[in-house]
Amino acid sequence: MPFYENIIHHASVIRATGIVITSSNIVAHIAGMLHKKTILIHPHQFNNHPYWEKAYDNFSHYYPNTFIYKMKKNEDWHELKNLLMYSS
């Protein structure tokens, strides 16, 4: 079933989680709208999205519950792993 045909189901799954870890996609926006604690992984090679450009101390201006982790380079996975371990 295509995602957009069952967006209510996906929102209920996101609502049931303790924390959402995602990339820049519709899941990040749903979690932000639901005020769910979210870590958004923004890969180095991705272009900036207007929702993630405006950040205050790495938190989204539009979704204050969303922490934006902008990778400095493609091999930045160790730093991300440490962030994820201490955020839960």
Side-chain angles (χ1 to χ4, degrees):
M1 176 178 297
F3 184 86
Y4 294 105
E5 290 181 14
N6 202 358
I7 200 163
I8 301 300
H9 169 74
H10 294 290
S12 68
V13 170
I14 291 168
R15 186 173 292 174
T17 63
I19 186 170
V20 175
I21 301 170
T22 186
S23 62
S24 180
N25 57 37
I26 191 70
V27 172
H29 293 280
I30 293 172
M33 288 184 285
L34 293 174
H35 305 287
K36 184 57 73 172
K37 182 177 179 182
T38 305
I39 296 175
L40 179 119
I41 302 166
H42 194 276
H44 172 71
Q45 69 274 18
F46 280 23
N47 292 331
N48 278 334
H49 186 283
Y51 280 87
W52 317 135
E53 284 178 349
K54 297 179 181 179
Y56 177 73
D57 288 339
N58 293 335
F59 284 87
S60 169
H61 174 75
Y62 297 98
Y63 307 127
N65 56 303
T66 300
F67 178 81
I68 303 166
Y69 178 76
K70 291 188 179 185
M71 296 179 80
K72 296 174 190 77
K73 56 185 178 181
N74 290 338
E75 296 82 25
D76 214 5
W77 293 104
H78 293 292
E79 192 174 328
L80 175 62
K81 178 183 167 190
N82 292 335
L83 170 72
L84 297 175
M85 287 175 51
Y86 296 111
S87 68
S88 51

